[in-house]
Amino acid sequence: MITSNGYVLEERPERLGRLEPVPTSLRADRDALWDRLRRDGYLYLSDHLDPALVRDFRTYYFDMLAPTGLVEPGGADEGIDSNADIDLALTRRVLFDDVVPGDRYAALTSHPSIRGWFQWFLGDDVHLHKRRIIRHTRPGETGIGTATQAHYDLVYLREGTDRVLSMWIPLGDCAVETGGLAYLEGSHHRVMAQERAGTLTMPAASITADLPGLADEYDSRWLINDYRAGDVMVHSAHIVHASTDNVDPHRRIRLSTDIRYQRVSDPIDWRWQEHWFEGDGL
């Protein structure tokens, strides 16, 4: 049973499917990738990063958060949840004062395998938005908002170009049961049409936590996958996406980051040029 914010996803073929990785034969064909991105709204680039790079950062992150009580003793390498209460004030301080503005996070998010890829794909000098978000979700966390609710990114980026691209990076293996990202198939076409027509009725931060209800409304499927360390997802600012609940039986914490790149020649949303911090209003 796959859930998101407690809602059970329908598993009929009309409502649930699998993401399609970009074939190896197309990975160096920029025109083919653009065609695919326009068609699907996403590019699933499996094994894009060195898994060791991702796992090293995962260990660093949980080492940094270990004093909060988040991980079990000796569990930082795998990110094994302590299943205990944590020091929330210390968690916020370490995350927003040390990890987010730190050199290790900057090195990961601007790594040549990422920045260089965007320069090649966009055919221009690129800009990485300073506001980069890193999240962990403990297994068994419940309640609306625990998993990422359905939304599309342009809602948050109204002061800049709509040609910004997001990259979601699972920081470690992330099976569906650990809370991976899900995409509503073909939703970017409808969203772009509504944006052009000015008929969107809810340009709110999130559309809904009710993923099965939204799939019915769009008459579409949620696309999911079991991600591995090194996989990345690149998606447009218009495609609707969300995450599943973390119900990992081995108590692994879901850790991921999402970052945004664009051409330097396009308008840049000035609100995204500060480090992410709690309560920044975005």
PDB file of all heavy atoms in Angstrom, residues 19 21 23 37 48 59-60 65 67 131 152 161 171 178 186 191 193 198-199 202 213 232 246 268 280-281:
ATOM      1  N   LEU A  19       8.015   5.871 -13.561  1.00  0.00           N
ATOM      2  CA  LEU A  19       8.789   6.849 -14.309  1.00  0.00           C
ATOM      3  C   LEU A  19       9.718   6.144 -15.287  1.00  0.00           C
ATOM      4  O   LEU A  19      10.242   5.066 -14.994  1.00  0.00           O
ATOM      5  CB  LEU A  19       9.614   7.709 -13.347  1.00  0.00           C
ATOM      6  CG  LEU A  19       8.829   8.654 -12.444  1.00  0.00           C
ATOM      7  CD1 LEU A  19       9.673   9.036 -11.224  1.00  0.00           C
ATOM      8  CD2 LEU A  19       8.411   9.900 -13.215  1.00  0.00           C
ATOM      9  N   PRO A  21      13.222   6.164 -17.115  1.00  0.00           N
ATOM     10  CA  PRO A  21      14.550   6.776 -17.179  1.00  0.00           C
ATOM     11  C   PRO A  21      14.920   7.129 -18.618  1.00  0.00           C
ATOM     12  O   PRO A  21      14.476   6.479 -19.572  1.00  0.00           O
ATOM     13  CB  PRO A  21      15.476   5.696 -16.623  1.00  0.00           C
ATOM     14  CG  PRO A  21      14.581   4.713 -15.936  1.00  0.00           C
ATOM     15  CD  PRO A  21      13.270   4.776 -16.639  1.00  0.00           C
ATOM     16  N   PRO A  23      16.952   6.818 -21.732  1.00  0.00           N
ATOM     17  CA  PRO A  23      17.844   5.757 -22.216  1.00  0.00           C
ATOM     18  C   PRO A  23      19.277   6.255 -22.383  1.00  0.00           C
ATOM     19  O   PRO A  23      19.508   7.431 -22.706  1.00  0.00           O
ATOM     20  CB  PRO A  23      17.236   5.369 -23.566  1.00  0.00           C
ATOM     21  CG  PRO A  23      15.827   5.857 -23.524  1.00  0.00           C
ATOM     22  CD  PRO A  23      15.836   7.083 -22.667  1.00  0.00           C
ATOM     23  N   LEU A  37      11.771  16.439 -22.427  1.00  0.00           N
ATOM     24  CA  LEU A  37      11.352  17.296 -21.321  1.00  0.00           C
ATOM     25  C   LEU A  37      10.046  18.009 -21.654  1.00  0.00           C
ATOM     26  O   LEU A  37       9.141  18.108 -20.806  1.00  0.00           O
ATOM     27  CB  LEU A  37      12.449  18.308 -20.995  1.00  0.00           C
ATOM     28  CG  LEU A  37      12.153  19.277 -19.849  1.00  0.00           C
ATOM     29  CD1 LEU A  37      11.958  18.536 -18.530  1.00  0.00           C
ATOM     30  CD2 LEU A  37      13.280  20.315 -19.712  1.00  0.00           C
ATOM     31  N   HIS A  48      23.300   9.461 -12.622  1.00  0.00           N
ATOM     32  CA  HIS A  48      23.910  10.684 -13.128  1.00  0.00           C
ATOM     33  C   HIS A  48      25.089  11.122 -12.265  1.00  0.00           C
ATOM     34  O   HIS A  48      26.079  11.655 -12.782  1.00  0.00           O
ATOM     35  CB  HIS A  48      22.868  11.802 -13.174  1.00  0.00           C
ATOM     36  CG  HIS A  48      23.379  13.092 -13.718  1.00  0.00           C
ATOM     37  ND1 HIS A  48      23.624  13.288 -15.060  1.00  0.00           N
ATOM     38  CD2 HIS A  48      23.734  14.259 -13.098  1.00  0.00           C
ATOM     39  CE1 HIS A  48      24.083  14.510 -15.248  1.00  0.00           C
ATOM     40  NE2 HIS A  48      24.168  15.121 -14.081  1.00  0.00           N
ATOM     41  N   THR A  59      26.262  10.756   4.870  1.00  0.00           N
ATOM     42  CA  THR A  59      26.933  10.491   6.142  1.00  0.00           C
ATOM     43  C   THR A  59      27.279  11.785   6.862  1.00  0.00           C
ATOM     44  O   THR A  59      27.078  11.911   8.077  1.00  0.00           O
ATOM     45  CB  THR A  59      28.203   9.664   5.905  1.00  0.00           C
ATOM     46  OG1 THR A  59      27.850   8.414   5.298  1.00  0.00           O
ATOM     47  CG2 THR A  59      28.937   9.397   7.206  1.00  0.00           C
ATOM     48  N   TYR A  60      27.801  12.764   6.120  1.00  0.00           N
ATOM     49  CA  TYR A  60      28.110  14.071   6.703  1.00  0.00           C
ATOM     50  C   TYR A  60      26.872  14.685   7.342  1.00  0.00           C
ATOM     51  O   TYR A  60      26.923  15.186   8.481  1.00  0.00           O
ATOM     52  CB  TYR A  60      28.665  14.998   5.620  1.00  0.00           C
ATOM     53  CG  TYR A  60      28.493  16.466   5.916  1.00  0.00           C
ATOM     54  CD1 TYR A  60      29.314  17.111   6.829  1.00  0.00           C
ATOM     55  CD2 TYR A  60      27.498  17.210   5.275  1.00  0.00           C
ATOM     56  CE1 TYR A  60      29.143  18.470   7.112  1.00  0.00           C
ATOM     57  CE2 TYR A  60      27.316  18.555   5.546  1.00  0.00           C
ATOM     58  CZ  TYR A  60      28.140  19.184   6.459  1.00  0.00           C
ATOM     59  OH  TYR A  60      27.967  20.519   6.735  1.00  0.00           O
ATOM     60  N   LEU A  65      23.794  16.020  12.363  1.00  0.00           N
ATOM     61  CA  LEU A  65      22.539  16.016  13.112  1.00  0.00           C
ATOM     62  C   LEU A  65      22.525  15.014  14.259  1.00  0.00           C
ATOM     63  O   LEU A  65      21.576  15.002  15.061  1.00  0.00           O
ATOM     64  CB  LEU A  65      21.374  15.727  12.169  1.00  0.00           C
ATOM     65  CG  LEU A  65      20.692  16.901  11.449  1.00  0.00           C
ATOM     66  CD1 LEU A  65      19.957  17.783  12.451  1.00  0.00           C
ATOM     67  CD2 LEU A  65      21.657  17.719  10.608  1.00  0.00           C
ATOM     68  N   PRO A  67      23.996  14.872  17.166  1.00  0.00           N
ATOM     69  CA  PRO A  67      23.795  15.389  18.533  1.00  0.00           C
ATOM     70  C   PRO A  67      22.339  15.714  18.868  1.00  0.00           C
ATOM     71  O   PRO A  67      22.006  15.869  20.046  1.00  0.00           O
ATOM     72  CB  PRO A  67      24.666  16.654  18.556  1.00  0.00           C
ATOM     73  CG  PRO A  67      25.714  16.423  17.519  1.00  0.00           C
ATOM     74  CD  PRO A  67      25.003  15.663  16.431  1.00  0.00           C
ATOM     75  N   ARG A 131      18.747  29.861  -2.652  1.00  0.00           N
ATOM     76  CA  ARG A 131      17.791  29.173  -1.784  1.00  0.00           C
ATOM     77  C   ARG A 131      17.678  27.721  -2.244  1.00  0.00           C
ATOM     78  O   ARG A 131      16.991  27.394  -3.202  1.00  0.00           O
ATOM     79  CB  ARG A 131      16.424  29.862  -1.826  1.00  0.00           C
ATOM     80  CG  ARG A 131      15.417  29.279  -0.832  1.00  0.00           C
ATOM     81  CD  ARG A 131      14.103  30.048  -0.900  1.00  0.00           C
ATOM     82  NE  ARG A 131      13.178  29.640   0.156  1.00  0.00           N
ATOM     83  CZ  ARG A 131      12.253  28.687   0.036  1.00  0.00           C
ATOM     84  NH1 ARG A 131      12.132  28.037  -1.116  1.00  0.00           N
ATOM     85  NH2 ARG A 131      11.468  28.383   1.046  1.00  0.00           N
ATOM     86  N   TYR A 152       3.240  22.665  -8.064  1.00  0.00           N
ATOM     87  CA  TYR A 152       4.217  22.850  -9.143  1.00  0.00           C
ATOM     88  C   TYR A 152       5.055  24.065  -8.783  1.00  0.00           C
ATOM     89  O   TYR A 152       4.604  25.008  -8.134  1.00  0.00           O
ATOM     90  CB  TYR A 152       3.552  22.966 -10.517  1.00  0.00           C
ATOM     91  CG  TYR A 152       2.610  24.131 -10.726  1.00  0.00           C
ATOM     92  CD1 TYR A 152       3.049  25.304 -11.338  1.00  0.00           C
ATOM     93  CD2 TYR A 152       1.268  24.052 -10.343  1.00  0.00           C
ATOM     94  CE1 TYR A 152       2.179  26.368 -11.538  1.00  0.00           C
ATOM     95  CE2 TYR A 152       0.403  25.102 -10.545  1.00  0.00           C
ATOM     96  CZ  TYR A 152       0.865  26.264 -11.145  1.00  0.00           C
ATOM     97  OH  TYR A 152       0.004  27.318 -11.341  1.00  0.00           O
ATOM     98  N   THR A 161      11.934  34.055 -14.255  1.00  0.00           N
ATOM     99  CA  THR A 161      11.541  33.352 -15.469  1.00  0.00           C
ATOM    100  C   THR A 161      10.758  32.087 -15.153  1.00  0.00           C
ATOM    101  O   THR A 161      10.928  31.488 -14.081  1.00  0.00           O
ATOM    102  CB  THR A 161      12.794  32.974 -16.276  1.00  0.00           C
ATOM    103  OG1 THR A 161      12.405  32.259 -17.457  1.00  0.00           O
ATOM    104  CG2 THR A 161      13.746  32.091 -15.473  1.00  0.00           C
ATOM    105  N   LEU A 171      19.289  11.773  -1.622  1.00  0.00           N
ATOM    106  CA  LEU A 171      20.604  11.648  -0.996  1.00  0.00           C
ATOM    107  C   LEU A 171      20.701  10.298  -0.302  1.00  0.00           C
ATOM    108  O   LEU A 171      20.589  10.173   0.915  1.00  0.00           O
ATOM    109  CB  LEU A 171      20.833  12.815  -0.039  1.00  0.00           C
ATOM    110  CG  LEU A 171      20.858  14.187  -0.742  1.00  0.00           C
ATOM    111  CD1 LEU A 171      20.866  15.314   0.274  1.00  0.00           C
ATOM    112  CD2 LEU A 171      22.053  14.289  -1.684  1.00  0.00           C
ATOM    113  N   THR A 178      10.233   4.663   1.103  1.00  0.00           N
ATOM    114  CA  THR A 178      11.025   5.598   1.896  1.00  0.00           C
ATOM    115  C   THR A 178      10.592   7.038   1.665  1.00  0.00           C
ATOM    116  O   THR A 178      11.077   7.952   2.327  1.00  0.00           O
ATOM    117  CB  THR A 178      12.531   5.426   1.572  1.00  0.00           C
ATOM    118  OG1 THR A 178      12.862   4.034   1.578  1.00  0.00           O
ATOM    119  CG2 THR A 178      13.408   6.110   2.604  1.00  0.00           C
ATOM    120  N   GLY A 186       1.750  14.125 -17.333  1.00  0.00           N
ATOM    121  CA  GLY A 186       1.178  15.066 -18.286  1.00  0.00           C
ATOM    122  C   GLY A 186       0.599  16.330 -17.692  1.00  0.00           C
ATOM    123  O   GLY A 186       0.058  17.170 -18.421  1.00  0.00           O
ATOM    124  N   VAL A 191      -1.343  22.595 -16.787  1.00  0.00           N
ATOM    125  CA  VAL A 191      -0.944  23.763 -16.004  1.00  0.00           C
ATOM    126  C   VAL A 191      -0.507  24.904 -16.921  1.00  0.00           C
ATOM    127  O   VAL A 191      -0.902  26.069 -16.718  1.00  0.00           O
ATOM    128  CB  VAL A 191       0.181  23.398 -15.014  1.00  0.00           C
ATOM    129  CG1 VAL A 191       0.822  24.657 -14.432  1.00  0.00           C
ATOM    130  CG2 VAL A 191      -0.360  22.508 -13.900  1.00  0.00           C
ATOM    131  N   ALA A 193      -1.417  25.452 -19.998  1.00  0.00           N
ATOM    132  CA  ALA A 193      -2.598  25.980 -20.680  1.00  0.00           C
ATOM    133  C   ALA A 193      -3.399  26.883 -19.748  1.00  0.00           C
ATOM    134  O   ALA A 193      -3.882  27.956 -20.161  1.00  0.00           O
ATOM    135  CB  ALA A 193      -3.469  24.826 -21.183  1.00  0.00           C
ATOM    136  N   GLY A 198      -5.073  32.157 -17.888  1.00  0.00           N
ATOM    137  CA  GLY A 198      -5.408  32.858 -16.657  1.00  0.00           C
ATOM    138  C   GLY A 198      -6.583  32.240 -15.929  1.00  0.00           C
ATOM    139  O   GLY A 198      -7.329  32.937 -15.233  1.00  0.00           O
ATOM    140  N   THR A 199      -6.759  30.920 -16.076  1.00  0.00           N
ATOM    141  CA  THR A 199      -7.931  30.261 -15.484  1.00  0.00           C
ATOM    142  C   THR A 199      -7.596  29.423 -14.255  1.00  0.00           C
ATOM    143  O   THR A 199      -8.450  28.697 -13.758  1.00  0.00           O
ATOM    144  CB  THR A 199      -8.606  29.353 -16.528  1.00  0.00           C
ATOM    145  OG1 THR A 199      -7.653  28.377 -17.005  1.00  0.00           O
ATOM    146  CG2 THR A 199      -9.129  30.166 -17.699  1.00  0.00           C
ATOM    147  N   MET A 202      -6.373  28.137  -8.200  1.00  0.00           N
ATOM    148  CA  MET A 202      -5.711  27.992  -6.908  1.00  0.00           C
ATOM    149  C   MET A 202      -4.201  28.108  -7.038  1.00  0.00           C
ATOM    150  O   MET A 202      -3.486  27.137  -6.861  1.00  0.00           O
ATOM    151  CB  MET A 202      -6.078  26.657  -6.269  1.00  0.00           C
ATOM    152  CG  MET A 202      -5.802  25.447  -7.156  1.00  0.00           C
ATOM    153  SD  MET A 202      -6.198  23.904  -6.335  1.00  0.00           S
ATOM    154  CE  MET A 202      -7.663  23.477  -7.225  1.00  0.00           C
ATOM    155  N   GLY A 213      -7.340  11.917  -5.263  1.00  0.00           N
ATOM    156  CA  GLY A 213      -8.390  12.793  -5.769  1.00  0.00           C
ATOM    157  C   GLY A 213      -7.901  13.656  -6.915  1.00  0.00           C
ATOM    158  O   GLY A 213      -8.637  13.896  -7.887  1.00  0.00           O
ATOM    159  N   VAL A 232      19.063  11.382 -10.386  1.00  0.00           N
ATOM    160  CA  VAL A 232      18.518  12.724 -10.211  1.00  0.00           C
ATOM    161  C   VAL A 232      17.283  12.860 -11.092  1.00  0.00           C
ATOM    162  O   VAL A 232      17.141  12.176 -12.103  1.00  0.00           O
ATOM    163  CB  VAL A 232      19.530  13.843 -10.571  1.00  0.00           C
ATOM    164  CG1 VAL A 232      20.797  13.732  -9.739  1.00  0.00           C
ATOM    165  CG2 VAL A 232      19.865  13.844 -12.064  1.00  0.00           C
ATOM    166  N   ASN A 246       7.042   8.086   4.204  1.00  0.00           N
ATOM    167  CA  ASN A 246       8.156   7.221   4.565  1.00  0.00           C
ATOM    168  C   ASN A 246       7.664   6.154   5.536  1.00  0.00           C
ATOM    169  O   ASN A 246       7.370   6.433   6.708  1.00  0.00           O
ATOM    170  CB  ASN A 246       9.280   8.040   5.213  1.00  0.00           C
ATOM    171  CG  ASN A 246      10.513   7.192   5.503  1.00  0.00           C
ATOM    172  OD1 ASN A 246      10.509   5.978   5.343  1.00  0.00           O
ATOM    173  ND2 ASN A 246      11.581   7.838   5.943  1.00  0.00           N
ATOM    174  N   ILE A 268      15.750  36.687 -12.935  1.00  0.00           N
ATOM    175  CA  ILE A 268      16.006  35.880 -11.739  1.00  0.00           C
ATOM    176  C   ILE A 268      15.115  36.362 -10.596  1.00  0.00           C
ATOM    177  O   ILE A 268      15.023  37.555 -10.327  1.00  0.00           O
ATOM    178  CB  ILE A 268      17.495  35.972 -11.335  1.00  0.00           C
ATOM    179  CG1 ILE A 268      18.377  35.358 -12.431  1.00  0.00           C
ATOM    180  CG2 ILE A 268      17.740  35.281  -9.998  1.00  0.00           C
ATOM    181  CD1 ILE A 268      19.860  35.578 -12.222  1.00  0.00           C
ATOM    182  N   ASP A 280      11.046  31.671   6.028  1.00  0.00           N
ATOM    183  CA  ASP A 280      11.414  32.689   5.038  1.00  0.00           C
ATOM    184  C   ASP A 280      10.244  33.112   4.150  1.00  0.00           C
ATOM    185  O   ASP A 280      10.370  33.981   3.301  1.00  0.00           O
ATOM    186  CB  ASP A 280      12.606  32.242   4.188  1.00  0.00           C
ATOM    187  CG  ASP A 280      12.319  31.051   3.260  1.00  0.00           C
ATOM    188  OD1 ASP A 280      11.156  30.597   3.211  1.00  0.00           O
ATOM    189  OD2 ASP A 280      13.258  30.582   2.598  1.00  0.00           O
ATOM    190  N   GLY A 281       9.093  32.489   4.352  1.00  0.00           N
ATOM    191  CA  GLY A 281       7.884  32.928   3.691  1.00  0.00           C
ATOM    192  C   GLY A 281       7.690  32.407   2.289  1.00  0.00           C
ATOM    193  O   GLY A 281       6.728  32.756   1.607  1.00  0.00           O
TER     194      GLY A 281
END
